[in-house]
Amino acid sequence: MKILVLNSGSSSIKYALFEMSNQHVEISGIIEAIGSPESLHSYQLNVDYTNKKQVNQHEVSSHKHGLQEIFKTLTQLKLITQVVDLLCIGHRVVHGGEKFSQPTIITNEVLEEIKLVTPLAPLHNPANLLGIEEARAYAPNTPQVAVFDTAFHQTLPDYAFQYAVPEKWYSQLAVRRYGFHGTSHFYVAKQVAKSLEKPLESLNIISLHLGNGASMAAIKQGLSIDTSMGMSPLEGLIMGTRSGDLDPAIIFYLQDKLELSCAEIKNSLNKESGLKGICHENDMRAVHQLAESGDKQAQLALAMVSYRIKKYIGAYFAVLGEVDAIVFTGGIGENDSVLREMCCADLKLFGIAVDSDKNRQVSTDIRHIEQEGMPVKILVIATNEELEIALQAKACIA
Ligand code: ADP
């Protein structure tokens, strides 16, 4: 039985088709720059054992057109003969507010509920909704399931998710920590449990999802009890272009001194800050190249990013009491051995120490990189949010 996973963003749709009997990825693709003449549809077949990439370049004018293109591709390649071949379609939805703590079959009522929380994620949810609406119109008899980035963090206790602001901001306006990347944190936590051959419910894990967007989660006996992103993905770690934590008074100071509008400051904190703000590069590989060539700002960026992560490791260690494992995932977490070593340096007192040789080995398999005999296991695990969405969607309709 096959499940199609759709991740509909503001200008792109990513998709993957899984044969669920063996979790094989039959096709994985992306349509980028929707609505522009540069629209690009690229896909990879049989992701597990070949690397063949096919590319179609012609204008994809809208999400509707994009979805038609995806279904046309699936049928032309004979991956499905009709939409009825699909067990269901799983949709990534960024924000589920407090309403959704589980994957949910999409009905008209559910769609309305998702619309109600959209003001909390104005950059993400509208595009997710467009994808859902088009998929429902295209495949009206195929069950559609929403899988929320926020759902895994709905187990945070109130003292961790509340901000110390006037109470009515929470009760009337839903201002609180929600956290994101939940699908990825949950997926890698399950992989840690598999690798350690222990039930997830018995493990305390610090999970680091380090990509362009980055967040950490403190996972106690399998449940998320704290996470670094907040009401929006802006809080927490230093990211590609986002600042992460900062003193809110900076915003008022900038408003006064530079007469910047709220929208301008929001744009700077989301798109001009983080690595890019510090050293003009938002891609971690470019930051390393600059740092190696002696660029002081790039060196500072690496020091700041790893220092922030280390502070969160310390905080989450205190919150969890005991830690069985630390797991690195995301483009940076999976590939950047230098940063992994910097984040974990001088933490031997916590039982955390990286083995430099193991850390430098390149592999896509699950790897242990802790020094022999250290109590805290350190793992590097490739995330697979699409597979996790497919698994959750399958469980949901079962
Ligand atoms: P997104 O949040 O967009 O999904 P990814 O998880 O793909 O992001 O991560 C992208 C980041 O991973 C970029 O900063 C990129 O430079 C970084 N990255 C990818 N490969 C490496 C590598 N070999 N070394 C260091 N950083 C890497």
Side-chain angles (χ1 to χ4, degrees):
M1 258 305 176
K2 298 184 188 195
I3 293 185
L4 177 66
V5 172
L6 291 177
N7 178 356
S8 169
S10 53
S11 63
S12 72
I13 306 177
K14 291 185 198 155
Y15 65 95
L17 181 73
F18 291 90
E19 169 49 57
M20 295 309 287
S21 59
N22 54 6
Q23 300 185 355
H24 176 68
V25 186
E26 301 205 325
I27 183 170
S28 150
I30 181 169
I31 302 181
E32 295 168 275
I34 291 173
S36 99
E38 275 85 52
S39 308
L40 184 66
H41 180 191
S42 50
Y43 58 80
Q44 214 176 343
L45 288 168
N46 298 322
V47 177
D48 296 344
Y49 50 83
T50 71
N51 229 358
K52 195 167 154 204
K53 194 131 187 160
Q54 315 255 337
V55 178
N56 292 351
Q57 189 155 20
H58 58 86
E59 185 170 349
V60 178
S61 57
S62 63
H63 282 70
K64 186 189 190 89
H65 186 179
L67 219 74
Q68 283 169 353
E69 166 108 8
I70 291 169
F71 281 113
K72 197 172 86 194
T73 307
L74 297 181
T75 29
Q76 273 176 356
L77 294 169
K78 300 197 168 45
L79 295 170
I80 56 172
T81 47
Q82 306 166 43
V83 283
V84 288
D85 283 357
L86 291 172
L87 184 61
C88 67
I89 300 177
H91 295 268
R92 175 189 183 216
V93 180
V94 168
H95 216 306
E98 285 189 325
K99 177 80 191 173
F100 298 105
S101 56
Q102 298 291 336
T104 305
I105 294 181
I106 298 167
T107 59
N108 290 340
E109 293 71 39
V110 167
L111 216 51
E112 288 311 307
E113 295 280 0
I114 299 175
K115 283 180 188 159
L116 284 179
V117 299
T118 289
L120 292 171
L123 301 176
H124 297 97
N125 272 28
N128 302 156
L129 280 164
L130 260 180
I132 294 174
E133 280 167 356
E134 291 304 337
R136 285 183 95 205
Y138 200 82
N141 299 318
T142 306
Q144 317 257 342
V145 179
V147 178
F148 301 91
D149 272 22
T150 46
F152 180 57
H153 302 301
Q154 278 298 301
T155 45
L156 261 61
D158 53 4
Y159 52 80
F161 75 66
Q162 292 255 11
Y163 292 111
V165 292
E167 184 279 328
K168 64 180 177 209
W169 292 9
Y170 170 57
S171 56
Q172 294 175 13
L173 297 168
V175 170
R176 54 158 284 180
R177 176 182 311 285
Y178 291 96
F180 299 86
H181 290 144
T183 311
S184 174
H185 288 302
F186 184 44
Y187 175 79
V188 293
K190 287 193 296 185
Q191 296 299 313
V192 169
K194 241 191 227 171
S195 171
L196 299 182
E197 296 180 349
K198 291 191 175 155
L200 179 58
E201 299 70 34
S202 71
L203 293 174
N204 289 356
I205 299 168
I206 299 177
S207 169
L208 294 88
H209 177 111
L210 309 177
N212 283 318
S215 73
M216 287 175 58
I219 300 171
K220 186 167 189 149
Q221 293 167 358
L223 301 179
S224 175
I225 60 161
D226 205 352
T227 190
S228 59
M229 282 178 168
M231 179 168 131
S232 82
L234 187 53
E235 194 181 344
L237 304 181
I238 296 170
M239 307 178 218
T241 61
R242 297 189 196 123
S243 65
D245 296 337
L246 88 169
D247 180 350
I250 293 169
I251 295 168
F252 323 132
Y253 179 78
L254 289 173
Q255 272 176 331
D256 285 348
K257 281 282 172 195
L258 300 178
E259 295 183 1
L260 292 180
S261 69
C262 239
E264 286 168 315
I265 299 174
K266 183 164 93 181
N267 188 57
S268 293
L269 293 177
N270 276 296
K271 302 210 169 124
E272 305 293 336
S273 297
L275 292 174
K276 189 173 179 195
I278 307 164
C279 67
H280 305 291
E281 284 288 353
N282 63 300
D283 188 293
M284 190 51 103
R285 285 164 290 201
V287 176
H288 278 294
Q289 269 182 2
L290 272 180
E292 279 158 25
S293 72
D295 185 284
K296 292 278 180 283
Q297 284 306 112
Q299 290 166 359
L300 175 65
L302 292 175
M304 287 171 70
V305 167
S306 55
Y307 177 72
R308 178 83 53 92
I309 293 172
K310 193 187 237 188
K311 279 210 297 193
Y312 270 93
I313 292 177
Y316 287 173
F317 212 107
V319 158
L320 291 167
E322 274 173 42
V323 177
D324 298 290
I326 292 179
V327 54
F328 284 92
T329 194
I332 297 169
E334 290 163 33
N335 298 300
D336 190 341
S337 58
V338 174
L339 198 83
R340 287 196 297 258
E341 193 141 3
M342 289 171 85
C343 302
C344 296
D346 306 320
L347 291 177
K348 233 174 181 160
L349 259 183
F350 289 74
I352 299 169
V354 165
D355 179 313
S356 301
D357 291 336
K358 287 186 203 160
N359 183 38
R360 276 197 294 268
Q361 281 164 21
V362 178
S363 163
T364 50
D365 293 340
I366 294 180
R367 286 172 293 148
H368 278 255
I369 59 165
E370 75 277 358
Q371 283 177 18
E372 196 72 40
M374 291 308 282
V376 179
K377 308 296 172 213
I378 310 176
L379 291 98
V380 180
I381 299 181
T383 196
N384 194 337
E385 287 164 289
E386 290 79 17
L387 174 60
E388 183 57 34
I389 290 172
L391 291 169
Q392 292 194 24
K394 184 177 172 213
C396 179
I397 60 163

